Amino acid sequence: MPQTLAVTGFFNRSASPNYLGEWHSHPSFSLMPSNRDQDSMWEIVNDPSVGANFAILLIVKLEAGELAGSVNLFASGFDVMAGELLFEGDSN
Ligand SMILES: [Zn+2]
């Protein structure tokens, strides 16, 4: 099982009206959300006590000294939506 550096519990989801999502690192494997990642995100957006209509998952790692990342949107009733993560200074 890949190592996951989850930030669960970093802040109280239900107490934050500005809850945006979760982030962690996949230091040595794919930036794609793991099955465990996806299960966790679906639990969050489908939990009425959280009150989030959607949540994003940001996964980052260093690749050859450069920051790389992926971002995915989880919204109840929809498939996972892959976003595009742009870094300041990217030419495209
Ligand atoms: Zn993960």
Side-chain angles (χ1 to χ4, degrees), residues 28-80:
S28 60
F29 48 94
S30 166
L31 291 166
M32 295 295 296
S34 68
N35 289 336
R36 180 177 172 208
D37 290 337
Q38 294 187 49
D39 289 347
S40 296
M41 295 306 291
W42 289 126
E43 285 178 22
I44 291 167
V45 297
N46 290 319
D47 182 348
S49 70
V50 176
N53 295 328
F54 68 90
I56 65 163
L57 174 60
L58 172 67
I59 300 171
V60 297
K61 71 176 177 179
L62 283 176
E63 278 184 335
E66 301 270 332
L67 185 64
S70 69
V71 62
N72 286 276
L73 173 68
F74 295 79
S76 189
F78 295 91
D79 290 335
V80 179

Side-chain angles (χ1 to χ4, degrees), residues 4 10 12 15-16 20 23 38 54 60 69 73 79 81-83 86:
T4 300
F10 183 71
N12 184 341
S16 173
L20 183 59
W23 66 92
Q38 294 187 49
F54 68 90
V60 297
L73 173 68
D79 290 335
M81 291 173 259
L86 300 176

